[in-house]
Amino acid sequence: MKHNPYRPMGTVYGTLLNFQREHTLWAPRMNEAPYQAPPKAPVLYIKTANTFTPHGHAIALPGGVEAAEVNATLGLVAGDGGLPESCVLLNDVTVPHKSYYRPPVKFRCVDGFLGVGDAVRTLAELGGLEALSALVLELRVNGVMRQRSPLAELVRDAAALWAEVNGFQSLQPGDVLMLGTDCLGDGARVLVHAGDAVEITTQGLSPLVNHFIRESA
């Protein structure tokens, strides 16, 4: 029987500043212009449908982009009634940029810039929302471990993030809410170039693998 890989059927939302390390690094700047205060609600952005790249497929770096940032994350998938039903591994790829809070869409929504896991797992299979805090996301480049991101280090855990987002907008069946991505110890992100292969793993889910190529002329 032919396997049909998972593909998001709704809107995919990313979450900024939801790992404690990055939140701490950015805290001194949160009182500066233009915001003047730390964010009181989750800071979200959208990954558009043109970014979706299935597991095992290549992600192309466009002309003029020598390297891309790769970010391991877990996405919560909304089921009936807008309740969290399942989860999927994602690789949130972006063009390196300095404008953190309001990055232009062209940096985050480049064609193919969201690696999507092959299949979802129900939350029931993983022990429920609360059990997700025991998971550790691991990111390898060319087989070498580059980053480990424990979900126990989220600012808002899965249940709190879902509840707060639904407090100001209704997540619809098929929507995906990413729990956030972590930075390295110096605040940077893992960079990849054409020719690199990225593998993202965690307990209970199939690995997500994508390789990077140069966009053809």
Side-chain angles (χ1 to χ4, degrees):
M1 182 179 294
K2 184 177 180 181
H3 171 67
N4 293 317
Y6 167 73
R7 179 181 174 84
M9 300 301 293
T11 302
V12 178
Y13 298 93
T15 307
L16 297 177
L17 296 170
N18 200 35
F19 271 89
Q20 294 169 10
R21 171 165 48 197
E22 186 172 49
H23 192 280
T24 299
L25 287 171
W26 274 87
R29 288 174 277 182
M30 292 179 183
N31 292 312
E32 298 174 357
Y35 300 96
Q36 310 295 339
K40 293 181 173 59
V43 182
L44 305 180
Y45 57 93
I46 289 175
K47 299 291 284 197
T48 46
N50 65 296
T51 66
F52 304 162
T53 297
H55 161 75
H57 289 240
I59 296 175
L61 300 179
V65 177
E66 293 302 317
E69 296 175 351
V70 290
N71 300 278
T73 189
L74 191 71
L76 298 177
V77 183
D80 293 340
L83 297 174
E85 179 179 79
S86 54
C87 57
V88 62
L89 282 177
L90 299 167
N91 181 3
D92 188 3
V93 185
T94 185
V95 176
H97 54 275
K98 294 181 179 179
S99 179
Y100 189 82
Y101 285 107
R102 293 179 179 174
V105 170
K106 65 180 182 179
F107 291 156
R108 290 197 178 275
C109 294
V110 177
D111 289 349
F113 268 32
L114 184 69
V116 179
D118 196 42
V120 299
R121 289 289 301 277
T122 66
L123 290 172
E125 291 177 294
L126 296 173
L129 274 180
E130 296 75 14
L132 298 184
S133 62
L135 300 182
V136 178
L137 304 177
E138 297 184 343
L139 187 153
R140 293 173 175 84
V141 179
N142 302 325
V144 178
M145 179 75 72
R146 295 294 308 279
Q147 187 177 30
R148 300 181 78 254
S149 302
L151 295 187
E153 296 178 1
L154 293 174
V155 175
R156 295 175 174 88
D157 66 16
L161 180 65
W162 191 273
E164 287 197 44
V165 171
N166 270 277
F168 58 82
Q169 68 177 69
S170 297
L171 292 168
Q172 303 298 310
D175 286 351
V176 181
L177 177 62
M178 294 190 275
L179 297 182
T181 63
D182 201 6
C183 62
L184 300 172
D186 62 357
R189 300 280 174 157
V190 177
L191 292 176
V192 297
H193 302 80
D196 289 337
V198 175
E199 180 184 37
I200 293 172
T201 59
T202 195
Q203 306 94 307
L205 283 90
S206 300
L208 166 59
V209 178
N210 297 108
H211 59 283
F212 286 76
I213 61 174
R214 174 62 55 197
E215 186 178 65
S216 58

